[in-house]
Amino acid sequence: MPASPPTIIEVAIPVRIDQTFTYRVPERLAVQASAGKRVLVPFGRRKVTGYVLGPGDAAAAELKEIIEVLDAEPLITPAELAFLRWVAAYYLFPLGEVLKTALPAGINLTSRKRQVAAADGSSVTEEVLAGGKRVKTELFYRSLSAPAGVTQPRGRGGEILTFLGGMEEAPAHLIRQRFGPCAPQLKRLRELGLVTAAAREVYRDPFREEVFEHDTPHILNDDQAAALARLVAAGDTAAFAPFLLHGVTGSGKTEVYLQAIAHVLSRGKTALVLVPEIALTPQLVRRFKRRFRCGIAVLHSGLSDGERFDEWRRIRRGEAEIVIGARSAIFAPLERLGIIVVDEEHEGSYKQSEGVRYHARDLALVRGKMDKAVVLLGSATPLVTSFHAVREGRLGYLELPRRVRDLPMPAVELVDARGKRGETFLPPLAAALAENLAVGGQSLLFLNRRGFATYLVCQECGFVLRCPNCAVTLTYHRRRERHFCHYCDYSIPAPSVCPGCESPSIGLLGRGTERVEEEVWELLPEARVSRMDRDTTSGKGGHARILRGVAEGRIDILIGTQMIAKGHDFPGVTLVGVVSADATLNIPDFRSAERTFQLITQVLGRAGRGDAAGRVIVQSLAPDHYAIRHAVSHDVAGFYAEELAFRRETGYPPFAFLAALHLSGTNGAVVEQGAEQAARLLQQLKGRLRSRVEILGPVTSPLGKLRGRFRWQILLKAPARSDLHRLVSAFRGAIDLPAQVRLVIDIDPVEMM
DNA sequence: AGCACGCCGACT
DNA sequence: GTCGGCGTGCTC
């Protein structure tokens, strides 16, 4: 006998409360209200969208009735729900919020209270239901044989008719694109009975306009072929199989992704490709569209809500076999998932730091394990934790040690800049820039700091210009004649005298890309110079404009921040100069050496053209530091060995697990009290649980005050993940902070295998 | 996260 | 005298 439909259901609501809710289902909705669908429910004084988890327990509390079932079919499968439950439990975030994050934005209905002017002039509060993305429809035109007595119209109407005659049918946007605004003509054609129009559901496709030429798989070199063979073998076992694809820059990792995915598709499975940032998706999508004729969907935050909803629906319906997207694409509703590729797995942008604080790189491994898929982490500079997992045998190792066509690694010259802080270009770099310009080569200059000068200091009284909201110095931007806070965007006009003592002897110290640009003008006035950083790429297509300039040879020297180190191909670049390799080395973070090594290695990989290895000059104030030494000698294994020794000694990941509790608020004293209260509770719980977690703090966050909020943090270090998780969960259940103090729990992303 | 209730400062 | 600031509590 079939189970009778539940009359009581458990519902997850997207609010910051760590509990689910139970509702009654009226008889008329009983059959429809199944797990995975959305329901509109009364919640407090408003109506909100919730997610049905399954049958509920008749609790003691009085239950409200659901108002409506919003979906005909479930939005998520039981397997997806299991994954999202894992995410909620692991990151200590309410399941309803996790579900909302995983689903396309803007689909939910909520009631809002609004002040509405009444007829008599007074105002009344009115409840309005808002939200809910709809499917988009478009008119499709089709030509008919002309009815008797109707002559073919002249002018634009006739042109359109001829155009339609040559094809089955055409959507309105295509006609508009070819003929410009033509609504009156189309209306006339319909009235004459020469065309018919039918509304049809369409997808808002971000790549609609483009046509793609096909290409065929490239021939692999021996390393690529060996890597592919292992991926193919793993794919055929249909078991969870995680790999690190460690390939030097230019070694052809993407071609391995493409062919591994082709194999997965041939087995009737699907593929998910994660990329670190939106700017890199178009070029990758084009490469995929040229190779594959199956459905490819794109998911990232740069799409409009409508586009994202449509891409999501295509995937949900099984119309896309490949999904390419940024971190949130880890939640893509792909079924029969065969492979997850995480490109540039070391990139920090895989970490979501608002709302649900997940790490997509880690979740790829979790989801891959649940779905029995191959997980392929690709990088030229893998995370230290990934490298360690390889050594422990938890991650398969695929190596591409050579560049395609056996292009040699660039020759790197390390220049000791100690005692020469005032000089932007030491003689070797200045000479190399001039030589390269003379022979018509392109150069890249890398400095990971934007603006002109890092800070303003008074030579008279020692005053340093700082942000009133954040504990950082203000960076001087010459073009805009202002000092900016790079954390909160606060700015003030550049003062001409010291704001403290009014002395005119103020100095601008520390250099950024803007100043490097100026100094290149002075050094090489005939060079065509451009700069690429957040200040010059802010507008729409700002990225593309500069990249095109370089590609078309209109730029001799490109100066940039880490933007130029990542992903983009600069095929004509024969010289790379690192102005100061140390800018990122001294930030107070145990990962700063790792980040510096990765950044330098990535930027070195930009050198080389055709079959010629490029030339690289690295200026450094710390030429003996192991991160810089190993980066310039391309000694990846050497760096990891030293970094792992350092991590072992200091007790950082992968030899310990971390969590951070961030407390913030506008009242410093209250936040500090909250932090102390939290630390005391942690100590108590630690004793009770006999936990081996180390509790550091409370301490003020590195930035103390950020964007006007006071910040304190408590760091937790544990030898085992389970230990850490038990303590933090217990803490979260027990803590009762004043409402002004906001608590954010950051479970540090470390290896998940 | 909203949303309303509630209790203290500067305004028509 | 009220408008409105945000501190506090609640949501099946």
Side-chain angles (χ1 to χ4, degrees):
Chain A
M1 202 177 88
S4 58
T7 52
I8 294 177
I9 53 171
E10 190 189 7
V11 178
I13 311 272
V15 288
R16 296 281 174 96
I17 313 166
D18 184 45
Q19 57 176 317
T20 55
F21 296 83
T22 313
Y23 284 87
R24 262 182 317 116
V25 183
E27 205 149 310
R28 67 187 169 89
L29 298 174
V31 183
Q32 296 172 54
S34 54
K37 292 183 185 176
R38 294 171 307 148
V39 284
L40 188 66
V41 294
F43 190 69
R45 285 169 259 265
R46 60 204 169 110
K47 301 183 179 79
V48 298
T49 302
Y51 309 93
V52 182
L53 299 174
D57 283 330
E62 233 174 72
L63 303 184
K64 289 187 180 175
E65 268 190 0
I66 66 169
I67 300 163
E68 211 179 318
V69 177
L70 298 172
D71 303 299
E73 296 298 322
L75 297 184
I76 51 167
T77 64
E80 285 160 5
L81 183 58
F83 174 58
L84 297 175
R85 279 185 193 275
W86 190 96
V87 171
Y90 183 75
Y91 292 110
L92 302 168
F93 216 76
L95 181 58
E97 294 264 19
V98 174
L99 279 152
K100 190 181 171 184
T101 312
L103 292 167
I107 61 168
N108 285 349
L109 292 168
T110 340
S111 75
R112 293 182 169 281
K113 292 292 163 72
R114 258 213 325 227
Q115 296 288 321
V116 179
D120 61 358
S122 72
S123 82
V124 196
T125 56
E126 189 190 64
E127 193 180 34
V128 276
L129 272 178
K133 272 278 160 251
R134 299 271 137 226
V135 299
K136 185 185 170 190
T137 59
E138 192 174 8
L139 285 175
F140 279 71
Y141 291 90
R142 180 191 287 268
S143 70
L144 300 170
S145 48
V150 178
T151 51
Q152 171 120 354
R154 290 155 178 260
R156 191 136 26 130
E159 285 170 31
I160 293 170
L161 196 61
T162 314
F163 173 67
L164 287 174
M167 57 174 60
E168 187 68 5
E169 60 176 10
H173 83 264
L174 189 68
I175 300 172
R176 225 174 300 120
Q177 187 191 310
R178 279 191 70 114
F179 301 98
C182 51
Q185 286 87 345
L186 285 168
K187 192 172 165 222
R188 182 89 187 113
L189 289 173
R190 284 173 77 179
E191 283 166 4
L192 289 171
L194 290 167
V195 303
T196 58
R200 202 91 71 60
E201 186 180 316
V202 292
Y203 293 125
R204 285 152 280 212
D205 177 1
F207 285 82
R208 184 172 63 183
E209 312 296 341
E210 284 188 52
V211 182
F212 297 92
E213 277 173 41
H214 278 281
D215 79 347
T216 47
H218 301 178
I219 293 169
L220 302 180
N221 66 26
D222 292 350
D223 304 315
Q224 289 174 310
L228 181 65
R230 286 188 63 193
L231 291 168
V232 164
D236 287 343
T237 66
F240 171 53
F243 290 96
L244 174 67
L245 178 62
H246 180 194
V248 298
T249 43
S251 60
K253 289 189 287 293
T254 310
E255 190 58 34
V256 175
Y257 302 158
L258 287 165
Q259 297 195 25
I261 288 169
H263 182 260
V264 164
L265 298 184
S266 76
R267 291 303 178 105
K269 294 189 180 178
T270 60
L272 174 58
V273 181
L274 301 183
V275 291
E277 53 172 322
I278 306 168
L280 296 177
T281 45
Q283 78 183 51
L284 199 67
V285 170
R286 286 193 188 97
R287 187 129 179 226
F288 273 77
K289 290 222 173 189
R290 282 198 294 268
R291 181 65 57 85
F292 296 106
R293 291 170 54 216
C294 65
I296 298 175
V298 180
L299 284 176
H300 58 73
S301 56
L303 305 180
S304 69
D305 282 359
E307 286 173 331
R308 210 178 328 174
F309 174 52
D310 286 357
E311 293 292 88
W312 186 89
R313 258 180 334 134
R314 281 178 61 211
I315 304 165
R316 175 81 293 163
R317 293 174 172 177
E319 292 169 22
E321 283 78 43
I322 301 174
V323 174
I324 300 171
R327 59 176 176 252
S328 62
I330 190 60
F331 300 115
L334 277 171
E335 292 173 55
R336 305 184 321 280
L337 191 54
I339 186 169
I340 307 177
V341 173
V342 184
D343 191 26
E344 309 291 349
E345 64 110 20
H346 63 278
E347 283 289 326
S349 49
Y350 282 120
K351 190 173 167 183
Q352 166 73 42
S353 52
E354 256 161 31
V356 198
R357 313 191 108 212
Y358 62 91
H359 198 306
R361 178 258 179 211
D362 294 350
L363 288 184
L365 292 161
V366 175
R367 187 165 178 193
K369 196 170 192 174
M370 287 187 171
D371 289 7
K372 297 189 169 57
V374 170
V375 177
L376 183 55
L377 309 174
S379 178
T381 53
L383 288 169
V384 170
T385 46
S386 297
F387 203 78
H388 187 249
V390 166
R391 298 216 321 196
E392 292 198 329
R394 286 177 287 125
L395 197 55
Y397 189 55
L398 310 172
E399 196 184 10
L400 306 180
R402 285 171 296 168
R403 296 172 122 185
V404 287
R405 286 177 280 108
D406 269 324
L407 188 66
M409 296 304 282
V412 184
E413 195 179 325
L414 181 58
V415 179
D416 187 347
R418 278 176 292 192
K420 294 155 192 157
R421 272 177 186 275
E423 295 166 56
T424 301
F425 305 113
L426 294 174
L429 182 52
L433 279 171
E435 281 165 31
N436 200 42
L437 180 67
V439 299
Q442 285 181 314
S443 303
L444 228 52
L445 278 176
F446 170 73
L447 177 62
N448 200 24
R449 207 189 281 133
R450 58 199 179 86
F452 187 88
T454 337
Y455 58 103
L456 176 149
V457 62
C458 173
Q459 265 117 36
E460 207 75 32
C461 70
F463 174 91
V464 173
L465 196 56
R466 288 178 185 281
C467 175
N469 303 318
C470 313
V472 293
T473 58
L474 296 183
T475 303
Y476 173 56
H477 287 243
R478 170 165 285 187
R479 176 124 1 138
R480 304 172 68 176
E481 277 297 309
R482 294 178 83 83
H483 293 258
F484 283 87
C485 171
H486 283 181
Y487 284 92
C488 73
D489 267 347
Y490 168 90
S491 76
I492 53 158
S496 53
V497 296
C498 169
C501 70
E502 305 200 342
S503 153
S505 53
I506 47 176
L508 292 165
L509 296 183
R511 72 186 125 254
T513 45
E514 201 182 5
R515 177 157 162 200
V516 173
E517 186 183 19
E518 280 211 10
E519 296 202 16
V520 175
W521 289 337
E522 285 164 24
L523 186 71
L524 301 164
E526 68 279 25
R528 295 165 300 171
V529 180
S530 187
R531 174 161 58 94
M532 183 160 148
D533 54 31
R534 221 167 70 206
D535 300 317
T536 62
T537 54
S538 54
K540 215 184 238 171
H543 255 98
R545 202 188 61 244
I546 297 169
L547 293 174
R548 211 177 322 115
V550 178
E552 292 169 4
R554 282 182 278 108
I555 293 169
D556 299 314
I557 300 174
L558 180 68
I559 299 136
T561 54
Q562 50 177 303
M563 249 178 220
I564 64 168
K566 294 176 183 172
H568 310 292
D569 277 338
F570 297 109
V573 168
T574 43
L575 171 68
V576 169
V578 177
V579 175
S580 172
D582 321 273
T584 50
L585 200 55
N586 298 314
I587 52 174
D589 183 322
F590 72 90
R591 269 184 268 260
S592 65
E594 181 180 11
R595 296 242 165 86
T596 303
F597 175 80
Q598 287 163 348
L599 216 44
I600 303 287
T601 303
Q602 300 278 343
V603 78
L604 301 195
R606 304 290 134 224
R609 174 171 63 184
D611 294 328
R615 183 174 174 201
V616 178
I617 295 178
V618 176
Q619 299 182 155
S620 174
L621 290 162
D624 301 328
H625 192 285
Y626 66 97
I628 291 170
R629 229 177 47 231
H630 292 307
V632 301
S633 57
H634 311 295
D635 184 4
V636 180
F639 170 75
Y640 285 114
E642 281 202 51
E643 181 65 13
L644 280 166
F646 161 75
R647 299 282 182 92
R648 192 190 296 276
E649 202 178 295
T650 49
Y652 275 112
F655 303 104
F657 299 90
L658 299 179
L661 311 179
H662 304 276
L663 297 105
S664 67
T666 48
N667 182 328
V670 175
V671 178
E672 186 176 346
Q673 283 163 29
E676 276 159 11
Q677 181 189 334
R680 275 198 304 276
L681 178 63
L682 281 167
Q683 289 292 354
Q684 282 171 24
L685 291 168
K686 180 185 161 175
R688 198 183 312 154
L689 296 169
R690 278 185 277 135
S691 163
R692 291 171 300 160
V693 178
E694 197 183 329
I695 301 170
L696 310 173
V699 293
T700 53
S701 291
L703 291 165
K705 191 178 167 197
L706 181 67
R707 292 166 211 268
R709 293 179 75 82
F710 292 88
R711 290 149 54 97
W712 286 73
Q713 65 172 350
I714 302 172
L715 265 177
L716 305 176
K717 248 189 195 182
R721 157 162 292 126
S722 54
D723 246 7
L724 186 67
H725 217 266
R726 271 214 326 280
L727 181 64
V728 179
S729 317
F731 167 79
R732 206 203 29 165
I735 189 73
D736 187 24
L737 291 166
Q740 305 107 287
V741 181
R742 212 179 69 169
L743 171 71
V744 173
I745 298 172
D746 211 336
I747 303 292
D748 200 62
V750 274
E751 76 235 79
M752 305 296 292
M753 286 74 67

